[in-house]
Amino acid sequence: MATLWGGRFTKETDQKVFEFNASIGFDKRLFEADVTGSVAHANMLCKVGILTKEEATAIIDGLMSVRDDVIDGKLSIDESFEDIHSFNEAKLIEKIGDTGKKLHTGRSRNDQVALDMRLFTRVQILYTDEALKVLLSVLFDQIRDNTDTYMPGFTHLQKAQPVTLSHHLSAYFEMFRRDRSRLKDLFERMNFCPLGAGALAGTTYPLDREYSAGLMGFYGPTGNSMDSVSDRDYLIEFLSALSIIAMHLSRFSEEIILWNSNEYGFIELDDAYSTGSSIMPQKKNPDIAELVRGKTGRVYGALMALLTTMKGLPLAYNKDMQEDKEFSFDAMDTVLNCIELFTGMLSTVKYNKDVMARSAVKGFTNATDAADYLVKKGMPFRDAHGVIGSLVLHCLDKGIAIDDMKLSELKTFSDLFEDDIYDAISLKTCVERRETIGAPGSKPMEAAIENYRKYLEEYVIVPDN
Ligand code: ARG
């Protein structure tokens, strides 16, 4: 049991209390962030004259050597310490002696942990953004290559109107690109440095907070020392963005699962991304999509947990906040994993284009267009709706599509039908006529593809300056 606060106490901490209180079991993931923060703090202490150059150099070299030892496996993060901050400080002092004891001047673990968690989260935001970018590039290729792959569009999971695979996938492109913009947004708000806030009320040392913020690539120091040590909004925002990403992945997974079913047969998943059954030899299961869909729950759980932890906390730091870590780490890992696996699965999917097109024809997705045809020949829309309604009923009865009917038969429903009806209700025409912005016609789709191409080339979460 190694703590940083023995002086005021006359009795040893109870072992169970120590274990309940300790966070090293999970905050060891902040190890590198903690070293980074301490190096910046030492540099700043030197700049303002609190540490001599020699002391700062000894501390920084010592910290780097602790870091190397851990990375090389020469030193393991020992769980007899309360947290990663205690571990790093103790190891530093073991290495360089008493000078190491000067590192914590003008710092509290409250601003230290606030800093470490921000540094860690900041990198996770960038990883998540990068993974989404890869997913978007895979989507982009499939959008570009499938502008004439026709399929039914659904409402209420009933075939509604024809679209293209390109158009359907581009709906997901829009979602994941919004996800990236949410990450950018929260990055902009969170990239400020809490170091120097002390325990809650700043310090009496002449710390240069702008300097340390700059050393670590922050836009500047945070504004209020009490808020600095007790703000976890950025984590809540990230968990919320992760929840939305997980929800999008889950919806997409649900479609993959449906499309991969025997009943739809729209796609076939690659063997590398499917699993078999131990009893039913014919099975090829979409487990990856199901797991991505299923893991959404734990990501939402992390968001709910942290919102609940924070809701009753008085200013400033309270130990409750230590609970910000485990679920957040889990949500960050889970979503990153899901994006990567989903991307692999999507990039290897085989689309059964004929099945998709046939499904659109068989499902009367051109019924609206057949009604519009009659309207263009002079019939009021409400009457046309009625005529096509009874035509569909007739087709259902015979088990055929509108396209299968002879002109003479069509004329028994309305004498406005002419030879040009077949072209007017072909899938190609139905889709091509939909030319408003955002619709599946080739003009708006070409514009969307051009827009996506540019976006993928130009968009970055943090512009270089
Ligand atoms: N393990 C703590 C946390 O994660 C570090 C901060 C400890 N500060 C304190 N005053 N006990 O929040």
Side-chain angles (χ1 to χ4, degrees), residues 108 158 201 252:
S108 155
Q158 310 270 329
F252 205 165

Side-chain angles (χ1 to χ4, degrees), residues 8-37:
R8 187 210 181 284
F9 289 74
T10 53
K11 246 172 124 181
E12 275 282 307
T13 322
D14 178 86
Q15 183 60 30
K16 272 206 175 309
V17 171
F18 177 79
E19 284 165 18
F20 188 67
N21 194 47
S23 51
I24 194 151
F26 46 88
D27 69 16
K28 58 184 168 201
R29 283 195 72 174
L30 300 178
F31 170 69
E32 290 206 53
D34 196 69
V35 171
T36 304

Side-chain angles (χ1 to χ4, degrees), residues 5 21-24 26-27 30 82-85 108-114 117 199 232 317-325:
W5 34 264
N21 194 47
S23 51
I24 194 151
F26 46 88
D27 69 16
L30 300 178
E82 182 187 345
D83 54 28
I84 194 64
H85 325 296
S108 155
R109 275 186 299 163
N110 296 352
D111 59 342
Q112 188 176 357
V113 76
M117 202 54 191
R232 299 292 181 273
Y317 178 83
N318 299 269
K319 192 65 177 245
D320 314 46
M321 288 173 183
Q322 180 167 289
E323 287 295 310
D324 65 352
K325 295 181 189 63

Side-chain angles (χ1 to χ4, degrees), residues 3 17 22 72 128 144 151 183 185 191 219 247 289 302 380-381:
T3 60
V17 171
D72 298 344
T128 309
R144 184 199 51 209
M151 64 179 285
L183 296 178
D185 220 45
N191 194 29
Y219 299 145
M247 180 268 289
F381 181 77

Side-chain angles (χ1 to χ4, degrees), residues 5 22 42 74 86 105 108 137 165 167 198 208 217 231 262 271-272 277 281 335 344 351 383 390 394-395 402 414 452:
W5 34 264
K74 283 193 216 146
S86 326
T105 314
S108 155
S137 336
L165 177 58
H167 188 248
D208 187 340
D231 168 30
N262 296 336
D271 280 0
S277 156
V335 172
Y351 292 103
D383 294 340
S390 33
H394 170 84
C395 289
I402 305 177
S414 163
Y452 296 163

Side-chain angles (χ1 to χ4, degrees), residues 10 101 125 140 148 189 211 248 287 331 341 366 396 400 431:
T10 53
K101 296 181 181 167
I125 295 172
F140 176 80
D148 52 7
R189 234 184 332 277
Y211 181 73
H248 289 154
D287 286 27
L341 276 141
N366 53 6
L396 279 171
I400 55 171
V431 169

